[in-house]
């Protein structure tokens, strides 16, 4: 479990949740909750005044309160073995969520952060894949382990813990690197715990990157393929609309009941039923291939080279190589990581549309570029690799009036789809809303590539966006309304990191 307040830095131990009268349901002070509920009602009734008041309200936030609220969210989502991705909607461990969550946990205790990474890595498949969900003991999520059947069908999957049969973006080395930075600012014990974590996790992370390279880029193109929209983490992004038309659920799709629609009342905030049929059909296809990664690559009706995953893979490979050099890991493995990083960085840069400059996914089944404008198009800003002029231009576009600097937005945080785009849906999951965790990733990358001012702006603006303390999964960009799950762990984690950043 996460250590109690007495073990926390002064910032986080100043007052307990009870002392400041937080609303346990949503983790924000009572006064704020009342105000926001009233605004919700007024906005639902179409009051323009409510929108203006909401905007004013959002400009006032207190970093100390936000940090304490974020720490509370992580503590209350901690079920001992893992911090669940969210209390009700996602009551298990998700792969890339766990990485971001561990960054937040590092500010509460480096050991606890390391434990989160170790829990995830204990579920790594024998072939090297890190699964997208590690199931805890509770049910409460569909599809659960029975629907995947990985333990029965795959020789590589662990018998315990039970896992899903696909993966998610490889942000884990970035997380371990960040935990080490935080650890080195702490006590001698923190420092030792951070360094031990690198030693304990390096080989597993190397094998994970090797799996991605071998099975998801078998031709060595540099672009890493995904076999399910869930693998991208941006589940229903318009990027996937065209490839998903090739996923045709058969009449033998076993029946199922969605649980997410019972928890998120506004259906417009979640993927549609047709999208879910396709998600579930892909699982059937993978079951029929016994989750053999070669067969899945060859037979799955969805196979897209994902430019955003590829960018993450490139930069995370570099981070892992840096750690490997420092910690005396095998030189041949470090060299492979450098090769993969360079190859993927070049491939991401080469994917850019000649006119818009935005990076593009490539549909491997149809052999066509996917020309859909989304936030993923800014992938080169994650991994680098553009010439200086092109990089400056792309940075200016991201922060300019079509994207984060759009005049309609409540905070200058990149939306997942530009409000000026035909596909923009302000409330619908990965089709428009702002995701604090994605902003953090861009902020981290900006800082890494020397765009210090842009990184600082993302931090300030995201803190403004989440100023109501709901720690929501995502936000409506024009009103700033909290959407999806409340008390989402990765939102809390990145906010905690930003609140305590140095
Ligand atoms: C969302 O994905 C899950 C399926 O994996 C879902 O919608 O049920 C995505 O936002 C994904 O990126 C995230 O990791 C997960 C848990 O937060 O939720």
């Amino acid at each position: 479990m996460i250590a109690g307040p007495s073990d926390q830095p002064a910032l986080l131990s100043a007052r307990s949740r009870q002392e400041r009268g937080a609303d346990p349901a949503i983790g924000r002070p009572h006064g704020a909750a009342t105000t926001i509920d009233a605004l919700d009602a007024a906005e639902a009734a179409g009051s323009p005044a409510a929108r203006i008041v909401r905007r004013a309200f959002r400009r006032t936030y207190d970093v100390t309160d936000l940090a304490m609220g974020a720490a509370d969210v992580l503590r209350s989502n901690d079920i001992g073995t893992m911090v669940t991705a969210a209390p009700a909607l996602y009551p298990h461990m998700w792969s890339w969520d766990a990485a971001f969550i561990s960054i937040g946990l590092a500010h509460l205790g480096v050991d606890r952060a390391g434990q989160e990474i170790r829990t995830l890595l204990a579920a790594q498949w024998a072939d090297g894949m890190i699964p997208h969900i590690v199931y805890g003991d509770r049910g409460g999520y569909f599809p659960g382990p029975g629907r995947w059947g990985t333990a029965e069908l795959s020789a590589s999957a662990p018998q315990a813990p039970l896992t899903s049969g696909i993966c998610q973006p490889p942000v884990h080395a970035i997380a371990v690197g960040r935990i080490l930075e935080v650890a080195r600012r702490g006590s001698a014990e923190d420092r030792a715990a951070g360094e031990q974590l690198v030693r304990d996790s390096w080989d597993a992370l190397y094998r994970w990157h090797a799996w991605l390279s071998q099975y998801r880029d078998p031709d060595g193109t540099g672009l890493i393929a995904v076999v399910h929209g869930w693998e991208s983490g941006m589940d229903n992004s318009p990027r996937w609309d065209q490839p998903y038309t090739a996923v045709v659920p058969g009449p033998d799709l076993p029946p199922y009941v969605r649980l997410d629609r019972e928890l998120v009342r506004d259906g417009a905030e979640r993927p549609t039923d047709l999208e879910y049929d396709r998600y579930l059909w892909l699982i059937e296809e993978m079951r029929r291939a016994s989750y053999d990664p070669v067969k899945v690559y060859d037979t799955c009706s969805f196979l897209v080279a994902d430019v955003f995953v590829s960018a993450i893979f490139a930069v995370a490979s570099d981070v892992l190589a840096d750690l490997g050099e420092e910690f005396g890991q095998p030189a041949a493995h470090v060299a492979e990581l450098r090769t993969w990083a360079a190859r993927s960085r070049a491939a991401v840069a080469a994917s850019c549309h000649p006119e818009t400059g935005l990076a593009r996914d490539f549909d491997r089944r149809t052999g066509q570029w996917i020309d859909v404008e989304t936030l993923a198009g800014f992938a080169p800003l994650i991994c680098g690799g553009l010439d200086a002029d092109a990089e400056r231009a792309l940075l200016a576009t991201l922060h300019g009036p079509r994207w984060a600097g759009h005049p309609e937005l409540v905070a200058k945080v990149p939306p997942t789809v530009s409000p000026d785009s035909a596909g923009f849906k302000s409330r619908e999951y990965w089709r428009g809303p702002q995701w604090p965790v994605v902003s953090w990733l861009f902020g981290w990358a900006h800082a890494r590539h020397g765009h210090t001012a842009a990184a600082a702006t993302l931090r300030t603006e995201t803190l403004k966006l989440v100023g109501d303390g709901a720690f929501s999964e995502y936000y409506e960009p024009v009103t700033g309304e909290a959407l999806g799950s409340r008390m989402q762990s990765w939102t809390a984690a990145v906010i905690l990191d930003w609140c305590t950043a140095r």
Side-chain angles (χ1 to χ4, degrees):
M1 300 288 283
I2 299 168
S6 59
D7 302 320
Q8 307 313 318
L11 173 69
L12 302 175
S13 62
R15 282 174 290 163
S16 73
R17 181 191 187 82
Q18 285 75 19
E19 282 167 343
R20 64 197 167 86
D23 178 340
I26 50 176
R28 63 191 177 209
H30 281 310
T34 312
T35 309
I36 289 168
D37 290 346
L39 286 171
D40 282 344
E43 262 187 24
S47 157
R51 189 158 133 185
I52 293 161
V53 174
R54 184 188 286 283
R55 283 170 174 244
F57 179 77
R58 279 181 183 278
R59 288 204 184 89
T60 60
Y61 64 85
D62 178 287
V63 171
T64 307
D65 276 347
L66 266 184
M68 288 194 299
D72 280 350
V73 169
L74 293 179
R75 288 195 193 100
S76 71
N77 291 347
D78 185 3
I79 59 169
T81 49
M82 61 177 68
V83 173
T84 60
L89 192 57
Y90 308 115
H92 304 280
M93 171 180 269
W94 264 256
S95 167
W96 76 326
D97 297 54
F100 290 111
I101 289 166
S102 69
I103 292 171
L105 290 175
H107 297 283
L108 304 175
V110 176
D111 268 338
R112 184 62 188 84
Q115 187 192 326
E116 202 68 6
I117 296 287
R118 287 182 177 92
T119 299
L120 179 66
L121 294 180
Q124 183 170 27
W125 286 28
D127 61 10
M129 183 181 82
I130 296 183
H132 110 289
I133 302 176
V134 181
Y135 291 97
D137 297 338
R138 308 166 179 188
Y141 179 78
F142 180 83
R147 186 76 181 205
W148 292 97
T150 52
E152 301 95 76
L153 295 167
S154 162
S156 289
Q159 296 297 313
L162 295 173
T163 75
S164 67
I166 55 173
C167 62
Q168 273 191 325
V171 289
H172 313 87
I174 296 173
V176 169
R178 179 72 185 143
I179 293 168
L180 182 64
E181 276 172 21
V182 173
R184 284 180 163 162
R185 298 197 313 243
S187 63
E189 288 81 22
D190 284 342
R191 188 186 173 92
E195 292 178 348
Q196 194 55 46
L197 176 65
V198 177
R199 285 187 204 97
D200 291 349
S201 61
W202 198 91
D203 186 57
L205 293 176
Y206 162 76
R207 290 193 303 110
W208 162 223
H209 283 230
W211 184 89
L212 285 165
S213 174
Q214 180 176 352
Y215 294 115
R216 294 312 182 79
D217 184 20
D219 299 321
T221 66
L223 291 181
I224 303 288
V226 294
V227 297
H228 196 300
W230 281 344
E231 291 203 313
S232 73
M234 301 186 184
D235 304 6
N236 69 336
S237 168
R239 303 159 71 190
W240 313 134
D241 288 351
Q242 181 58 36
Y244 264 127
T245 60
V247 181
V248 183
D252 47 343
L253 174 67
Y256 66 95
V257 177
R258 289 178 66 172
L259 295 180
D260 60 317
R261 291 296 311 279
E262 288 169 24
L263 294 162
V264 180
R265 276 165 295 158
D266 178 3
E269 294 176 33
R270 292 284 303 173
T272 63
D273 287 345
L274 172 60
E275 284 167 331
Y276 253 74
D277 277 356
R278 288 171 166 154
Y279 300 162
L280 271 296
W281 183 249
L282 287 175
I283 296 178
E284 287 311 302
E285 290 187 347
M286 287 180 227
R287 287 178 59 104
R288 289 167 198 188
S290 302
Y291 298 100
D292 173 330
V294 175
K295 275 195 205 142
V296 166
Y297 192 94
D298 288 343
T299 61
C300 203
S301 47
F302 185 104
L303 184 73
V304 184
D306 178 326
V307 81
F308 201 72
V309 164
S310 304
I312 290 172
F313 176 74
V315 73
S317 293
D318 264 338
V319 170
L320 196 55
D322 291 344
L323 291 172
E325 262 166 23
E326 184 186 342
F327 285 80
Q329 299 298 320
H333 291 178
V334 171
E336 270 180 300
L337 286 163
R338 295 276 184 224
T339 303
W340 298 333
R343 193 164 67 192
S344 289
R345 201 171 16 253
V348 169
S351 79
C352 290
H353 190 285
E355 277 152 34
T356 64
L358 293 181
R360 292 175 293 173
D361 304 301
F362 186 78
D363 189 332
R364 292 226 176 277
R365 289 283 176 252
T366 63
Q368 284 173 343
W369 291 107
I370 300 175
D371 279 317
V372 177
E373 183 197 37
T374 73
L375 186 55
F378 296 93
L381 296 178
I382 299 291
C383 61
L386 298 178
D387 66 51
D389 285 348
E391 179 157 314
R392 253 194 306 277
L394 197 60
L395 189 69
T397 306
L398 178 63
H399 293 280
R402 193 170 172 83
W403 287 91
H406 194 285
E408 282 285 301
L409 301 192
V410 73
K412 291 182 178 36
V413 172
T416 38
V417 172
S418 161
D420 291 344
S421 225
F424 175 71
K425 298 225 168 83
S426 70
R427 306 175 67 80
E428 199 182 321
Y429 214 39
W430 291 93
R431 294 182 185 271
Q434 295 153 313
W435 289 69
V437 71
V438 177
S439 297
W440 184 94
L441 187 60
F442 274 104
W444 174 86
H446 285 354
R448 179 175 172 90
H449 300 305
H451 305 304
T452 318
T457 302
L458 274 184
R459 173 185 178 274
T460 310
E461 292 291 319
T462 307
L463 294 185
K464 184 164 94 183
L465 181 68
V466 304
D468 64 354
F471 299 102
S472 247
E473 191 181 3
Y474 46 101
Y475 289 81
E476 208 276 5
V478 179
T479 62
E481 181 185 352
L483 298 176
S485 172
R486 307 299 189 272
M487 296 180 71
Q488 180 87 5
S489 296
W490 66 3
T491 304
V494 299
I495 296 307
L496 186 53
D497 187 61
W498 258 339
C499 285
T500 50
R502 267 188 290 146

